[in-house]
Amino acid sequence: MLEIFVHRSLRFPGAPLNTQSAYGDADRLAAIGSKVLEATYASVLFNQRPYLSATDLRTEFTKLGEHVERWVAGYHWKEKVRRGQNVNMDAPEESRNLMNAYVGAVFVASGFPTVSSWIATLVGYSAALQRNG
């Protein structure tokens, strides 16, 4: 958890990876997590019932950033991040980096099926919020 919730602004430049950990650091987790999140999100949307058309899929793919903002806010992750005083945690790239790092950690620890189940739940929750206003 510390690897995810300690912002890079608190690490000294050139800090070595934590080789005693399966994760290394948050940036490494975010690198794998971004790919896993995008693939999982695409898979969840592709498998939704009723099927989305190709046009609708492409439209929904562009909404991932909006969803990430909502998900990160819902988990209250920004408040948990230890960071330098000049870091703006309200920047969209900070939310995306947090989500990517967390997805990366879940993927490394528990695999793709766990990430897929989690993201499917979040997508369903987001869809329900949109339907209900």
Side-chain angles (χ1 to χ4, degrees):
M1 294 301 264
L2 280 178
E3 288 159 340
I4 295 169
F5 293 110
V6 174
H7 193 271
R8 65 180 116 17
S9 63
L10 294 182
R11 283 184 255 139
F12 65 89
L17 293 174
N18 179 1
T19 58
Q20 302 303 309
S21 163
Y23 307 112
D25 67 15
D27 290 337
R28 188 168 185 262
L29 288 170
I32 190 70
S34 77
K35 300 302 181 195
V36 172
L37 177 58
E38 289 173 8
T40 303
Y41 183 68
S43 176
V44 166
L45 292 177
F46 185 82
N47 291 308
Q48 272 186 336
R49 304 281 187 195
Y51 284 153
L52 297 173
S53 69
T55 301
D56 290 340
L57 279 171
R58 288 184 196 100
T59 300
E60 290 302 314
F61 292 157
T62 67
K63 296 179 182 177
L64 179 57
E66 298 168 32
H67 292 305
V68 165
E69 286 290 327
R70 248 189 326 277
W71 299 336
V72 168
Y75 283 116
H76 304 283
W77 284 341
K78 290 178 184 181
E79 295 86 5
K80 296 175 184 175
V81 175
R82 295 177 186 169
R83 61 190 178 275
Q85 56 183 320
N86 295 328
V87 174
N88 177 9
M89 288 307 295
D90 292 326
E93 60 270 11
E94 294 295 348
S95 293
R96 185 62 188 259
N97 198 54
L98 259 173
M99 185 72 185
N100 288 343
Y102 209 96
V103 168
V106 172
F107 174 72
V108 170
S110 302
F112 192 79
T114 301
V115 174
S116 184
S117 176
W118 173 41
I119 299 303
T121 301
L122 291 176
V123 168
Y125 176 73
S126 291
L129 282 178
Q130 288 175 338
R131 281 193 305 273
N132 297 324

